[in-house]
Amino acid sequence: MSTANFLELLINGLITGSIYALVGSGIALVYGTTRVLNFAHGELLMLAGYLILLFAVTLGWPLLVASVITLAIIVILGAGIQRLTIAPLLRRDDWAFQVVAATIGLSIFLQSGAQLIWGEQFQAVPYFFPGIVVIGELRMPWQRIAICLIAVAVMAACALVLYRTKLGRIIRATAQDSEAALAVGIPAGLVHTAVFSISAALAGVAAILLSPLISVNPWMGTSYLLKGFAVVILGGLGSFGGAVAAGFLLGLIESFSVAFAPSEWRDVIAFTFLIAVIWVRPNGLFSGREA
């Protein structure tokens, strides 16, 4: 393997991993705080893809304006899903299975609704950052470089909020013991809503960055939901930092696997690694009960 090929695989792995980390950290954040696995997380990503397609391509709005409005809508939708669907179920004693069933049902509803509204055709989104970076023998589109840089910046900002602000301390306190947090005056219900909104925003950012690389379609969220769950399991259930690290690790494994096996085997190798990790470390590589 030449140096250029190695660098290309490394950069591609980091780019893919940054998207997995965005999706997985959103799922981990919700699970770490509420113990809810949100099976509709992929459909939030899909809806954000259609929104950025509508605002930035169909209506021709500037990318920044289109992105802000897309994220605002997705954040409100995430909060609405928590308040109207999840919160009432969490008040019941046997809420675990009911929440899983509700989020799966919501996922099917949103996917079917997207097919009804936008049809089944795949719709392309042009690159937001045209041009190619050339370093020696390495050629890389600016769009892919921008994905990694923006994703890392967003996750760093999220970690800063989570570990260095009052809101972050409140979220982590609620994750540790929501009843104790409620007893000292922390509105656990509002914290749960805020966490769902942040999680939805992370899915929205992933969709905005991904849309130019993959065609927007009603099923685009499904594969990333599966990868997001794999990242959460690999990193340790409920660990935000573990999900970020596992996302990059999974992306690198997928990228370098094509150097030794056909690309069709990429997912097989990645999930085989996941199973091997679960076999050795059932709680994941970076297990912990943190938000």
Side-chain angles (χ1 to χ4, degrees):
M1 181 187 300
S2 67
T3 302
N5 285 339
F6 175 81
L7 289 175
E8 184 176 358
L9 292 174
L10 177 65
I11 294 173
N12 281 331
L14 292 175
I15 293 167
T16 304
S18 66
I19 295 297
Y20 291 166
L22 272 177
V23 177
S25 60
I27 296 172
L29 191 60
V30 167
Y31 183 83
T33 308
T34 65
R35 303 298 180 261
V36 168
L37 279 175
N38 181 14
F39 285 85
H41 191 74
E43 273 53 57
L44 290 175
L45 185 150
M46 176 269 293
L47 289 176
Y50 274 111
L51 289 174
I52 198 66
L53 176 71
L54 171 65
F55 296 137
V57 180
T58 305
L59 299 179
W61 292 358
L63 175 60
L64 182 60
V65 175
S67 299
V68 170
I69 294 177
T70 295
L71 289 177
I73 294 174
I74 290 300
V75 164
I76 293 172
L77 185 59
I81 288 173
Q82 197 281 331
R83 299 298 290 180
L84 299 177
T85 306
I86 307 298
L89 295 177
L90 291 179
R91 299 189 190 101
R92 301 181 180 181
D93 294 333
D94 53 345
W95 58 266
F97 176 77
Q98 296 177 42
V99 168
V100 169
T103 56
I104 290 175
L106 184 61
S107 170
I108 296 171
F109 173 79
L110 292 175
Q111 196 174 99
S112 300
Q115 291 181 54
L116 186 65
I117 295 171
W118 291 291
E120 298 183 352
Q121 65 270 28
F122 287 46
Q123 302 187 57
V125 176
Y127 276 18
F128 298 131
F129 304 96
I132 294 177
V133 180
V134 180
I135 304 175
E137 298 179 8
L138 182 65
R139 297 170 62 85
M140 187 69 62
W142 268 115
Q143 179 70 35
R144 297 181 72 83
I145 300 294
I147 284 176
C148 191
L149 296 178
I150 294 173
V152 169
V154 168
M155 285 182 286
C158 197
L160 191 65
V161 169
L162 198 56
Y163 298 110
R164 291 289 185 270
T165 67
K166 183 178 180 180
L167 174 62
R169 288 193 293 273
I170 290 174
I171 290 174
R172 287 185 286 124
T174 306
Q176 289 293 323
D177 191 332
S178 60
E179 292 185 359
L182 194 60
V184 297
I186 295 175
L190 289 179
V191 173
H192 291 173
T193 303
V195 167
F196 263 81
S197 298
I198 296 171
S199 173
L202 291 172
V205 171
I208 292 169
L209 297 175
L210 264 177
S211 296
L213 298 185
I214 64 172
S215 298
V216 176
N217 64 83
W219 307 277
M220 64 183 287
T222 303
S223 62
Y224 285 96
L225 177 69
L226 292 176
K227 293 295 174 62
F229 280 146
V231 163
V232 171
I233 295 170
L234 191 60
L237 285 173
S239 171
F240 178 85
V244 172
F248 281 104
L249 179 60
L250 192 65
L252 289 170
I253 290 172
E254 286 191 2
S255 180
F256 279 96
S257 67
V258 301
F260 307 102
S263 59
E264 294 81 4
W265 283 81
R266 185 175 57 183
D267 287 344
V268 174
I269 294 172
F271 282 101
T272 300
F273 176 77
L274 172 65
I275 293 170
V277 169
I278 294 173
W279 185 267
V280 178
R281 290 181 61 86
N283 294 324
L285 291 174
F286 313 97
S287 59
R289 290 174 64 83
E290 57 170 313

